[in-house]
Amino acid sequence: MKRLLAVLTATGLAGLGTFAVSQPAYATQNQPIPVVSDCTQEWYVNPDEGDLLPEQTEGGLLFDGPSLVHHATNVLLSDLQPGTFVATLDTGVLPLFKVETDSPYSTLNYVGDGTTDLWWSSKILATDPGGQNNPIAAADFIGKATTGSGNPPYTSTTHVFSFGVGYANDVGNKATVSSVTFDGQTYDLTCQPEPTDTTAAPTTTQPGSEGTLPKTGSNVTVIAGIAGLLIVAGVASLVVARVRRR
């Protein structure tokens, strides 16, 4: 008898489990933070860049002051080609096209119009070759030492693992980027709003009444679930009563 009640109880609890709603787990401490938009799901900022997340608008991603965005890729630094983007400038100057490298980790900032191949590294002193004031070609970074304790030099196996656009610590700059092109592919960053559904939900009128609220799918599911639990409870009670009569 106890075993039967346990089975019935487990069945009822399993039915209740169907009502649980799971929410998507967004970025944790060690995961990228995505742009919250259905139009640009593959774009993100790093865990320590949450304050730099650009704003999704209909015209594209809005960069207002210090802000940036990344998209994953995987190319060798020695094969790195310039990237471009289309932007509407509001104030100040346009953001920079950027890539991130591994071994050593660094940000390379592109200087040019998509035809030249000049970059500067966040891990090289500004006045040294490859620094902000002395940009060089991507392939010329191979063998260049980087600043900072424990940072290795760039090598022939150094990879570019992300590309993107953004401002560094610039204040007073504002622009909307509508598309980014890299490695032969163009990414549309605009976002048109979804059309509004103006169709009214049908109502169900019971005989003898003036009307009732529309029956929605979720309400029907809840009612069905409750009915199922009541049936389980009724069966359990019937079994108990028969056992007692014996």
Side-chain angles (χ1 to χ4, degrees):
M1 178 61 192
K2 291 183 179 179
R3 183 175 302 174
L4 176 60
L5 289 176
V7 172
L8 292 173
T9 302
T11 304
L13 291 176
L16 282 176
T18 61
F19 296 103
V21 179
S22 60
Q23 297 295 333
Y26 280 107
T28 64
Q29 231 173 0
N30 299 317
Q31 294 177 331
I33 303 172
V35 175
V36 185
S37 167
D38 290 337
C39 300
T40 49
Q41 294 182 6
E42 298 177 342
W43 296 85
Y44 64 91
V45 294
N46 293 318
D48 59 345
E49 299 170 340
D51 293 339
L52 302 180
L53 196 69
E55 177 186 350
Q56 179 71 71
T57 69
E58 290 186 25
L61 292 181
L62 174 62
F63 297 82
D64 189 357
S67 50
L68 53 82
V69 72
H70 308 287
H71 189 290
T73 189
N74 184 20
V75 298
L76 282 171
L77 175 59
S78 56
D79 296 332
L80 177 62
Q81 298 296 317
T84 61
F85 59 89
V86 177
T88 301
L89 180 64
D90 190 335
T91 58
V93 298
L94 288 172
L96 291 172
F97 184 89
K98 299 170 175 285
V99 300
E100 291 179 294
T101 67
D102 63 4
S103 301
Y105 172 78
S106 71
T107 299
L108 298 186
N109 301 272
Y110 177 62
V111 180
D113 57 3
T115 58
T116 59
D117 181 22
L118 292 177
W119 305 77
W120 61 270
S121 170
S122 63
K123 294 296 184 181
I124 294 179
L125 294 176
T127 55
D128 290 344
Q132 186 170 3
N133 299 335
N134 195 358
I136 60 177
D140 291 340
F141 279 98
I142 308 302
K144 294 290 183 185
T146 56
T147 59
S149 175
N151 286 328
Y154 296 95
T155 70
S156 59
T157 60
T158 298
H159 279 79
V160 171
F161 66 86
S162 83
F163 65 92
V165 178
Y167 293 113
N169 296 318
D170 305 322
V171 177
N173 297 313
K174 185 176 181 180
T176 300
V177 178
S178 57
S179 69
V180 175
T181 299
F182 178 70
D183 198 24
Q185 184 171 350
T186 297
Y187 301 82
D188 183 11
L189 301 183
T190 61
C191 190
Q192 299 302 316
E194 293 290 333
T196 303
D197 185 5
T198 58
T199 304
T203 59
T204 302
T205 304
Q206 301 295 333
S209 67
E210 295 182 357
T212 60
L213 293 176
K215 290 186 177 180
T216 63
S218 60
N219 289 338
V220 171
T221 303
V222 172
I223 292 172
I226 294 174
L229 292 176
L230 291 175
I231 291 173
V232 171
V235 171
S237 299
L238 180 60
V239 172
V240 171
R242 289 182 176 179
V243 170
R244 287 179 176 175
R245 283 201 299 270
R246 292 177 185 178

